[in-house]
């Protein structure tokens, strides 16, 4: 990933997320990518605790329809990779 991501950008993004979170900002990450892809990239850039600053992480959002259509959210277990059947 070093070929695509500048090393300085990693620490800058991590520090920005920490500062925003400590300032009480509510943060959401919404990505069109599936969780395994978001997780791999964010682990690399921010670290294993990348989800900590976020109040909500949405993967496989299906943008732009995500913003205009009412669809149920499904919860993914980050430990097993399984999707819980009940909408949340």
């Amino acid at each position: 990933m070093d070929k695509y991501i500048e090393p300085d950008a990693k620490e800058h993004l991590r520090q920005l997320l920490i500062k925003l979170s400590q300032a009480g900002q509510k943060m959401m990450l919404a990505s069109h990518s599936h969780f395994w892809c978001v997780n791999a990239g964010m682990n690399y850039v921010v670290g294993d605790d990348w989800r900590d600053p976020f109040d909500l992480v949405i993967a496989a959002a299906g943008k732009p329809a995500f913003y205009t259509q009412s669809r149920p959210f499904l919860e993914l277990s980050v430990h097993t990779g399984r999707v819980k059947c009940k909408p949340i």
Side-chain angles (χ1 to χ4, degrees):
M1 285 204 207
D2 282 329
K3 181 178 178 181
Y4 303 104
I5 299 171
E6 294 181 27
D8 289 343
K10 291 169 41 173
E11 189 57 31
H12 289 285
L13 178 59
R14 180 173 179 74
Q15 291 304 315
L16 175 64
L17 292 174
I18 290 169
K19 284 181 184 178
L20 289 170
S21 179
Q22 289 175 343
Q25 297 297 311
K26 298 293 183 188
M27 294 192 296
M28 173 183 87
L29 183 148
S31 176
H32 184 67
S33 300
H34 289 277
F35 181 78
W36 64 267
C37 185
V38 173
N39 189 50
M42 291 298 283
N43 273 338
Y44 178 78
V45 174
V46 180
D48 292 339
D49 59 348
W50 69 267
R51 291 188 316 272
D52 291 351
F54 294 100
D55 297 284
L56 181 64
V57 174
I58 301 171
K63 298 184 291 186
F66 168 79
Y67 297 107
T68 59
Q69 296 176 357
S70 178
R71 297 182 305 181
F73 287 96
L74 300 174
E75 184 177 357
L76 173 74
S77 169
V78 295
H79 301 292
T80 65
R82 295 177 61 178
V83 175
K84 295 184 179 181
C85 293
K86 64 177 183 179
I88 58 170

